[in-house]
Amino acid sequence: MKPNPKLSRPARRAVLVVHVTASASWLGLSLGLLALGTTAASTGSAVTVEASVRAMKLFADWLLIPVALLTLLSGLVLSLGTVWGLARYRWVYTKFWLTLATTTATVFALRPGVNSAVTAVAADGPLPDTGDVLFGPVVSLSAYVFMTVISVLKPWGRTRRGKRSRIFA
């Protein structure tokens, strides 16, 4: 079995810095969205609700997708260009699929929820559903904290493929 091409040490470090920075940014954006969503859901002021959901829209439209894609891409480069591999260790495999799932959920659930909230509030209506502004950030933040924990702890050992590649190495 032929080993994966490995990144040079400087390249690996550069990609790692990009990945950690993008991941931390995604975590911070989610925390910010949760704070704004909580404010929108709990205030009695229509002006504050509108300002909160408009700020959420700004984050969702301009920052979340690029940061999510950068996190996904840099993680993929790291996994394929280092000894960790994409499918050798359960924690790497889990992070990949969770990152892919949360990126997809951001595009197809979080952003549309925020957009519907902005549309309703901009038409001088109330916040239609607090879930539109709270559910996405809560789920995202939970997933990112979980991924951070498994990145640090590296639990669960090798996958079947990882055990097999170890035998042939």
Side-chain angles (χ1 to χ4, degrees):
M1 187 171 218
K2 188 177 179 183
N4 286 344
K6 301 296 178 239
L7 293 170
S8 66
R9 184 175 181 175
R12 181 186 56 79
R13 285 181 165 187
V15 175
L16 183 61
V17 167
V18 168
H19 183 67
V20 169
T21 302
S23 299
S25 297
W26 204 4
L27 186 90
L29 280 168
S30 295
L31 189 58
L33 285 170
L34 181 59
L36 290 167
T38 301
T39 300
S42 64
T43 187
S45 166
V47 172
T48 303
V49 170
E50 185 170 2
S52 296
V53 295
R54 285 188 183 276
M56 289 181 79
K57 181 171 174 40
L58 189 71
F59 282 1
D61 287 349
W62 291 99
L63 296 173
L64 276 179
I65 301 303
V67 167
L69 292 175
L70 185 58
T71 302
L72 183 62
L73 181 64
S74 60
L76 196 55
V77 169
L78 278 173
S79 68
L80 296 175
T82 65
V83 296
W84 294 110
L86 182 59
R88 288 187 193 138
Y89 292 87
R90 288 186 184 96
W91 71 271
V92 176
Y93 204 56
T94 301
K95 273 187 64 179
F96 170 75
W97 286 108
L98 271 175
T99 302
L100 190 60
T102 51
T103 300
T104 303
T106 295
V107 172
F108 295 109
L110 190 144
R111 285 185 70 222
V114 168
N115 288 337
S116 72
V118 169
T119 301
V121 170
D124 293 325
L127 190 62
D129 181 7
T130 57
D132 285 345
V133 295
L134 290 176
F135 184 71
V138 166
V139 170
S140 297
L141 193 58
S142 301
Y144 308 143
V145 168
F146 176 72
M147 287 188 276
T148 300
V149 168
I150 65 174
S151 293
V152 171
L153 299 180
K154 298 172 180 42
W156 308 317
R158 291 178 176 259
T159 62
R160 257 189 240 171
R161 178 183 174 140
K163 289 175 186 171
R164 226 179 327 124
S165 68
R166 190 180 206 182
I167 293 169
F168 296 114

